[in-house]
């Protein structure tokens, strides 16, 4: 029989390869869920390990050191996942919620992230790392994994002040992280540029343009939300918001995280039926996060893994020290019911996951000469923080 009559071609087209790879990534997430439920290992860490396995096959077995998984498709998938996370985080920043959390949460959270970021940045700079690496990792250190902290607190059944304080902090912690990262990238670009005026204008546009874009998308979205009937129209509305925010921020070269967070905050504060859009995004968010975690692990350049070991260890030690000292300062500044708050409460805010890796990817794009080091250090430290983080939360609650 002639080969022309065969129903299957021996040649795998790029489109078919991309679809197969996406299907395998989602299938691996099912396996990760099963393993996580039986071993209590964080499923995020398992997904990143799957991505590292992809990197090993691609870079060491196939010898494609410069190739990126999915070629041009990986970047938009990662961008969509980050915009979804930032939009949902913005939805947590309602005036009502900030009023009910009270000043105690603001004082402790700002003390922890302020001392932590300062110690990481100054410490890495003192150890001789480039300014771009030190400042980027300092901004990335602010982010926390709210899911890991919340899950551990709920499992413990603790309802004391320290447990309620932790839940309140992690609800807004990544919001602070996105703000700190956006400002740090803009200021760092200005500082490192030879043309001060042009760089300052670009930095101002990156932050100011993000505010304008978030407002331009968020205000109409707040008016529209709730006027569509629940179901498919609301889902289309939610997808349109995310795609517009991701596409326009990339085209206008403004901070996608800041724009999405502001849009989410406007929708949450101005719309009476704001939960509909957020619920629809939550329903479709996980598959994109699966792609994000696996592709983040697959993006690690294994050739520079050894070079990233020292900065990764320094970052882990400095971040742990910063969290501890920040917690001590926060408890002292609060001066309210200090007997009920442990001095090491900052260590319970150690877990770090998706937002941190997203920031690392963005920083790697901004400073490609340090990209491999930044990404390897953050991915490696994320695995460590996800493993030891829940143990530290339980220690603080005890």
């Amino acid at each position: 029989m002639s080969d022309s009559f065969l129903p299957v071609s021996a040649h795998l087209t790029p489109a078919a390869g991309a679809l197969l790879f996406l299907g395998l990534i989602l299938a691996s997430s099912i396996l990760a869920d099963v393993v996580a439920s039986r071993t209590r290992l964080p499923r995020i860490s398992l997904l990143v390990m799957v991505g590292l396995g992809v990197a090993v096959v691609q870079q060491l077995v196939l010898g494609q050191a410069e190739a990126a998984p999915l070629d041009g498709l990986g970047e938009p998938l990662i961008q969509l996942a980050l915009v979804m996370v930032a939009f949902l985080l913005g939805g947590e920043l309602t005036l009502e919620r900030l009023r009910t959390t009270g000043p105690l949460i603001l004082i402790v959270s700002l003390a922890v992230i302020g001392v932590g970021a300062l110690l990481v940045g100054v410490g890495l700079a003192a150890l001789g790392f480039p300014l771009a690496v030190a400042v980027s990792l300092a901004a990335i250190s602010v982010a926390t994994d709210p899911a890991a902290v919340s899950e551990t607190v709920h499992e413990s059944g603790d309802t004391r002040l320290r447990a309620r304080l932790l839940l309140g902090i992690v609800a807004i912690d990544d919001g602070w992280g996105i703000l700190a990262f956006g400002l740090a990238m803009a200021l760092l670009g200005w500082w490192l540029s030879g043309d001060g005026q042009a760089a300052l204008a670009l930095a101002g546009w990156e932050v100011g343009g993000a505010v304008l874009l978030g407002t331009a998308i968020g205000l109409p979205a707040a008016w529209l939300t709730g006027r569509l009937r629940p179901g498919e129209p609301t889902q289309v509305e939610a997808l349109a918001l995310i795609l517009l925010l991701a596409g326009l921020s990339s085209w206008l070269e403004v901070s996608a995280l800041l724009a999405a967070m502001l849009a989410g905050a406007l929708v949450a504060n101005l719309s009476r039926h704001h939960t509909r859009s957020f619920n629809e995004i939550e329903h479709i968010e996980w598959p994109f996060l699966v792609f994000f975690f696996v592709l983040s692990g697959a993006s690690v350049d294994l050739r520079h893994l050894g070079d990233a070991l020292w900065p990764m260890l320094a970052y882990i030690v400095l971040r742990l020290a910063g969290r501890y000292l920040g917690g001590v300062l926060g408890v002292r500044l609060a001066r309210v019911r200090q007997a009920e708050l442990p001095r090491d409460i900052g260590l319970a805010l150690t877990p770090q996951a998706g937002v941190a890796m997203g920031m690392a990817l963005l920083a790697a794009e901004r400073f490609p000469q340090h990209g491999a080091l930044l990404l390897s250090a953050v991915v490696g430290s994320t695995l460590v923080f996800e493993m030891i983080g829940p143990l530290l939360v339980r220690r603080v609650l005890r």
Side-chain angles (χ1 to χ4, degrees):
M1 183 180 292
S2 172
D3 288 346
S4 61
F5 291 99
L6 290 176
V8 180
S9 172
H11 177 66
L12 185 65
T13 64
L19 291 173
L20 280 173
F21 188 54
L22 291 175
L24 289 172
I25 290 177
L26 291 178
S28 70
S29 73
I30 301 173
L31 180 61
D33 281 336
V34 174
V35 174
S37 63
R38 295 187 177 182
T39 62
R40 300 185 68 82
L41 291 172
R43 62 178 178 174
I44 289 174
S45 298
L46 293 172
L47 291 173
V48 175
M49 294 299 291
V50 170
L52 289 172
V54 172
V56 169
V57 172
Q58 185 180 34
Q59 298 177 31
L60 301 184
V61 178
L62 300 179
Q64 300 174 352
E66 300 299 326
L70 294 176
D71 293 325
L73 186 59
E75 187 177 341
L77 286 174
I78 290 173
Q79 183 86 340
L80 281 175
L82 289 174
V83 169
M84 285 182 181
V85 170
F87 185 78
L88 292 174
L89 285 173
E92 302 288 341
L93 301 178
T94 62
L95 295 176
E96 180 183 357
R97 181 165 204 163
L98 293 176
R99 278 195 299 264
T100 55
T101 53
L104 182 60
I105 288 176
L106 293 176
I107 290 172
V108 175
S109 66
L110 290 175
V112 170
I113 66 174
V115 173
L118 184 64
L119 189 61
V120 171
V122 173
L124 290 174
L127 290 172
F129 292 102
L131 184 63
V133 173
V135 174
S136 297
L137 288 177
I140 291 169
S141 72
V142 174
T144 308
D145 179 13
V149 177
S150 303
E151 216 172 284
T152 308
V153 171
H154 290 313
E155 281 178 4
S156 70
D158 197 331
T159 58
R160 292 174 296 171
L161 175 63
R162 64 186 67 184
R164 299 196 305 274
L165 180 62
L166 287 176
L167 292 176
I169 290 175
V170 297
I172 61 173
D173 212 27
D174 276 347
W176 296 133
I178 289 174
L179 285 171
F181 181 78
L183 293 173
M185 290 299 98
L187 292 175
L188 195 56
W190 165 69
W191 182 264
L192 295 177
S193 173
D195 188 352
Q197 268 190 329
L200 186 61
L202 287 174
W205 168 245
E206 184 173 354
V207 176
V211 172
L212 291 175
L213 177 60
T215 305
I217 298 291
L219 288 179
W223 176 84
L224 184 63
T225 298
R227 285 173 166 78
L228 299 175
R229 68 179 185 273
E232 291 179 0
T234 308
Q235 194 173 73
V236 171
E237 173 202 358
L239 275 172
L241 282 176
I242 297 304
L243 291 169
L244 285 171
L245 284 166
L248 288 172
S249 60
S250 179
W251 178 44
L252 298 173
E253 297 184 354
V254 301
S255 173
L257 297 182
L258 287 177
M261 191 174 71
L262 178 59
L266 287 173
V267 172
N269 284 284
L270 300 179
S271 174
R272 289 182 299 173
H273 303 282
H274 69 271
T275 54
R276 290 184 186 174
S277 291
F278 293 105
N279 288 340
E280 293 298 337
I281 292 174
E282 286 173 348
H283 291 157
I284 62 175
E285 178 192 26
W286 180 242
F288 288 94
L289 288 179
V290 170
F291 295 140
F292 168 69
F293 290 126
V294 174
L295 292 174
S296 296
S299 300
V300 171
D301 192 338
L302 299 177
R303 297 171 302 171
H304 296 88
L305 207 54
D307 299 335
L309 183 61
W310 167 230
M312 182 187 75
L313 292 175
Y315 173 68
I316 290 173
V317 172
L318 289 169
R319 186 170 183 267
L320 286 172
R323 296 268 141 167
Y324 174 77
L325 295 174
V328 171
L329 177 64
V331 171
R332 287 189 176 179
L333 290 176
R335 296 185 180 181
V336 180
R337 301 157 79 179
Q338 289 189 30
E340 296 185 38
L341 296 179
R343 288 166 53 86
D344 59 354
I345 194 169
L347 291 177
L349 301 170
T350 296
Q352 193 169 45
V355 173
M357 286 195 290
M359 292 176 181
L361 288 166
L362 295 177
E365 288 180 11
R366 175 68 68 87
F367 307 109
Q369 68 274 28
H370 305 300
L373 186 148
L374 283 169
L375 194 57
S376 300
V378 173
V379 168
S381 62
T382 294
L383 294 174
V384 174
F385 289 137
E386 281 292 283
M387 296 295 182
I388 68 173
L391 300 177
L392 292 172
V393 176
R394 293 189 192 102
R395 171 196 166 100
V396 170
L397 292 177
R398 283 200 301 269

